[in-house]
Amino acid sequence: MSVIIGHLSLELHFPLAHSLKEKRKSLKRIKEKVTHRFNVSLIESAFQDKWQRSKIDIAIIGIDQQTIENTIQNILHLIDEVSIGEIQILSAEIEWH
């Protein structure tokens, strides 16, 4: 049995944020919701000093690619559902390892 790693990289825009504090508050809520609901690892990997932009990377490990793909779709849906215009996904890239 082989292990599959799905790597989801998201570039995010925070149009309503007017400070790093506001961005971090919104990002923290997303991080908590995603990691609580799904068994994934998530980090902010770029743009930590930009108040309207962020890049997060999410790692998902499993033995079935279809299950990982479903998890990725559910994560994207959750971010859209939770953010309600507060966060826009500018780009989403998936890599397989």
Side-chain angles (χ1 to χ4, degrees):
M1 181 181 317
S2 63
V3 173
I4 299 170
I5 301 170
H7 171 214
L8 174 61
S9 184
L10 298 175
E11 193 167 323
L12 306 174
H13 180 242
F14 299 80
L16 303 178
H18 299 291
S19 67
L20 282 173
K21 186 176 179 178
E22 288 180 8
K23 178 191 96 165
R24 289 182 180 137
K25 182 180 175 184
S26 296
L27 190 57
K28 182 179 179 184
R29 188 175 70 249
I30 293 298
K31 285 179 171 180
E32 288 173 352
K33 295 271 186 191
V34 169
T35 57
H36 179 73
R37 185 159 176 195
F38 305 100
N39 189 18
V40 300
S41 294
L42 185 152
I43 62 164
E44 182 180 16
S45 59
F47 309 115
Q48 290 94 338
D49 60 341
K50 304 292 183 190
W51 49 270
Q52 285 195 318
R53 195 167 174 199
S54 182
K55 181 179 179 188
I56 61 173
D57 288 290
I58 303 169
I60 307 138
I61 299 173
I63 57 171
D64 175 22
Q65 185 170 337
Q66 184 61 47
T67 302
I68 295 172
E69 287 176 359
N70 289 341
T71 300
I72 289 170
Q73 292 305 314
N74 289 334
I75 289 169
L76 294 171
H77 179 70
L78 178 65
I79 291 171
D80 282 339
E81 185 178 281
V82 170
S83 66
I84 310 171
E86 218 177 299
I87 300 170
Q88 298 171 343
I89 299 173
L90 299 178
S91 68
E93 295 179 18
I94 302 169
E95 295 179 12
W96 300 99
H97 305 279

